[in-house]
Amino acid sequence: MTDTTWIDLALVSARPQAMGALLRYFRNLDTAEEAFQEACIRALKAWPKSGPPRDPAAWLIFVGRNSGIDKVRRQSRETALPPEELLSDLEDQESDLADRLDGSHYRDDILKLLFVCSNPVLPATQQIALALRIVSGLTVKQIARAFLVGEAAMEQRITRAKARVAAAGIEFETPDAADRSERLAAVATMIYLVFNEGYSAMNGPDSVSADLCEEAIRLARLLLRLFPSEPEMMGLTALLLLQHSRSRARFDADGGIILLDDQDRSLWKKPLITEALAMIDKAVRHRQPGPYQIQAAIAALHARATRPEETDWEEIDLLYQALERLQPSPVITLNRAVAVSKRDGPEAALALIEPLAEKLASYFYFHGLKGALLKQAGRVREARVAFDRAIALATNAAEASHIRMQLDHLCKDECDKDLAKEKR
């Protein structure tokens, strides 16, 4: 096998389970992370030749655990790790470990790992950043982009978080009910950011980034199982399900982005939508509105519209206003501008986003939306400038290709106008 994409996908998928188990063994974040990285290196060498193991997570745990033990042994001048051929041929050991890790072991290890990362000894920003790095394996660059901060600042944040965890001697145990409730908000935010990272980086329904969305949904379901009567967890899970239900319709055959209004809604995953809508209805009955429930309600209005023109943009605008009051953010206002443009036209939306220019100067979607609104308003030259800036800030080929298509349309419109003038 020469295509290693499947290996990347397997490593991303297995990381939370493997890291949770390795932390249970070693009780040290750095040791567990080093053991996992060593296991990944061995997987990159062994898997292309031998093919995927029965359970990639079990394989990584087994190899990572032995690697970590070997490090301790070397430090004590004891026995070295067995040869590679013996480690790679897991046979019965791998099967036994896979059997024992099925079900509750995975669940408990992941939840314990999440709660270690969200310990109140850490500031909220460090809790989320550490969980994104340790649990989901996002790079510092990816996490920095999610927070709209520089890479150097994020690197320092993660380093400080690790140091605090080590200094505090945080135990790898499941917190009691009171502590779990206090940490739930930080864990939920981490899951939300993991999903967003996968969603924004995706370039097709089967891309490696799509697996981050699946992982976030899986973690959200686990937390909902732990907090079955928590309306915000219902809202978060419903939101992720609704967003992910559109994954098959978001891209064309070449990986190009298809905007919501142009998507083939028959491709939306109806079972996910049905599950999410029922979950939202259940959450609303608690009468405890929160940011995730409001975002889920917005997504639900899109899901309930069988055609784009049936979308209730008035209600979506009201929901975004409520969200702005609960959780003020320039990105929320930027999203609200779409609803305003549908209801009141592009100029009204441009007026709404103009104050956001400084805060979102390095945000791809700000310039992409601004260019689209300027184009709708007939302000071609300004639209070109905004689109050029968006291309410079694109984080993947799909985003850049979509904006270039918008520029091509602008050029075509200008040419058509020039031809019309010549004919007159």
Side-chain angles (χ1 to χ4, degrees), residues 130-144:
L130 183 62
L132 285 168
R133 180 74 193 102
I134 297 298
V135 181
S136 295
L138 300 189
T139 65
V140 173
K141 181 178 181 180
Q142 289 173 318
I143 302 170

Side-chain angles (χ1 to χ4, degrees), residues 229-250:
S229 60
E230 172 55 54
E232 270 296 84
M233 279 312 306
M234 298 178 203
L236 172 62
T237 308
L239 173 62
L240 304 190
L241 290 171
L242 288 169
Q243 296 287 70
H244 198 51
S245 71
R246 300 197 295 266
S247 60
R248 293 177 183 169
R250 290 181 59 213

Side-chain angles (χ1 to χ4, degrees), residues 27 58 79 206 237 352 390:
R27 308 279 169 158
T79 308
D206 300 318
T237 308
L352 182 63

Side-chain angles (χ1 to χ4, degrees), residues 285-306:
R285 289 197 290 271
H286 287 262
R287 298 184 180 277
Q288 298 174 21
Y292 293 125
Q293 294 173 73
I294 294 174
Q295 291 178 73
I298 292 170
L301 287 172
H302 288 296
R304 287 188 166 106
T306 57

Side-chain angles (χ1 to χ4, degrees), residues 195-211:
F195 182 89
N196 277 353
E197 180 59 39
Y199 191 84
S200 61
M202 200 184 302
N203 56 15
D206 300 318
S207 68
V208 172
S209 297
D211 196 60

